[in-house]
C-alpha cells in the first residue's frame, strides 16, 4: 500500500510539472498570482464554493476575476 501511495504522489508531481511547462493558461494565472501558494489558495477557495465543469474554466474564471468593491458603510 505504501508503494501505491508513493507512486500516486509521483504521478501527481509529474502532472503538476507537465502542467507548469505546457499549459499557457496555467502559466498566465501563475504569473498573475505571483506565487504558487497564492494560486492554489485561490483555486481552493473557488473550488470549495462553486462547481466548474473543468479546470480550464476555473483558471479562466480566476484570470478574469475582478474584486467587488464593498459598499460604503459610513
Amino acid at each position: 500500500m505504501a508503494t501505491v501511495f508513493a507512486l500516486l504522489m509521483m504521478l501527481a508531481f509529474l502532472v503538476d510539472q507537465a502542467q507548469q511547462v505546457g499549459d499557457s493558461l496555467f502559466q498566465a494565472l501563475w504569473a498573475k498570482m505571483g506565487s504558487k501558494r497564492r494560486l492554489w489558495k485561490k483555486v481552493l477557495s473557488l473550488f470549495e464554493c462553486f462547481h466548474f465543469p473543468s479546470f480550464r474554466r476555473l483558471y479562466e474564471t480566476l484570470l478574469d476575476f475582478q474584486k467587488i468593491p464593498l459598499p460604503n458603510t459610513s
Side-chain angles (χ1 to χ4, degrees):
M1 190 186 252
T3 303
V4 172
F5 285 133
L7 289 173
L8 287 174
M9 286 177 31
M10 288 173 47
L11 179 61
F13 179 74
L14 175 66
V15 168
D16 179 58
Q17 295 300 304
Q19 186 177 29
Q20 285 182 36
V21 172
D23 189 358
S24 59
L25 183 61
F26 180 82
Q27 291 172 356
L29 185 57
W30 188 7
K32 179 182 178 182
M33 294 296 157
S35 73
K36 230 172 152 181
R37 181 182 181 130
R38 184 166 183 232
L39 167 65
W40 290 119
K41 285 175 77 174
K42 296 288 185 179
V43 167
L44 180 62
S45 66
L46 281 182
F47 196 75
E48 288 179 336
C49 297
F50 302 101
H51 170 75
F52 292 93
S54 66
F55 269 95
R56 174 158 296 286
R57 184 68 189 121
L58 175 65
Y59 294 160
E60 289 169 350
T61 301
L62 279 171
L63 269 176
D64 297 334
F65 185 76
Q66 300 292 323
K67 288 188 177 180
I68 299 170
L70 296 175
N72 191 353
T73 57
S74 49

